[in-house]
């Protein structure tokens, strides 16, 4: 569950990285603008995948634990 908080932090960081060229007004610098957009989108995608995998792992661990308790 603790990892879910870190993935949430990375999601917020990725959103800020995407928004930062517009908020800090450096969209005229093409290289910096594209760098911020690409890194931000990658952060967002990786954090969403991490959140999904963390929830799947937690769900399957709960299922495995429940099925073992019933058979024992």
């Amino acid at each position: 569950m603790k990892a879910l908080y870190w993935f949430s932090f990375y999601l917020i960081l990725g959103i800020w990285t995407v928004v930062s060229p517009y908020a800090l007004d450096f969209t005229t610098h093409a290289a910096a603008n594209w760098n911020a957009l690409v890194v931000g989108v990658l952060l967002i995608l990786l954090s969403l995948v991490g959140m999904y995998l963390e929830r799947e792992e937690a769900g399957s661990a709960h299922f495995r634990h429940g099925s073992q308790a019933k058979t024992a």
Side-chain angles (χ1 to χ4, degrees):
M1 189 68 173
K2 192 174 185 180
L4 196 58
Y5 295 118
W6 281 108
F7 289 127
S8 300
F9 172 74
Y10 296 142
L11 179 65
I12 293 168
L13 185 64
I15 292 170
W16 167 248
T17 307
V18 168
V19 173
S20 66
Y22 306 102
L24 301 176
D25 196 30
F26 64 88
T27 56
T28 56
H29 302 285
N33 186 22
W34 279 106
N35 183 50
L37 293 176
V38 169
V39 170
V41 168
L42 286 175
L43 271 171
I44 291 169
L45 289 176
L46 290 174
S47 66
L48 291 174
V49 167
M51 286 177 165
Y52 174 76
L53 292 176
E54 181 68 23
R55 287 183 185 234
E56 286 292 316
E57 182 180 321
S60 65
H62 177 69
F63 178 72
R64 283 193 308 259
H65 180 69
S67 65
Q68 289 175 355
K70 290 179 183 176
T71 59

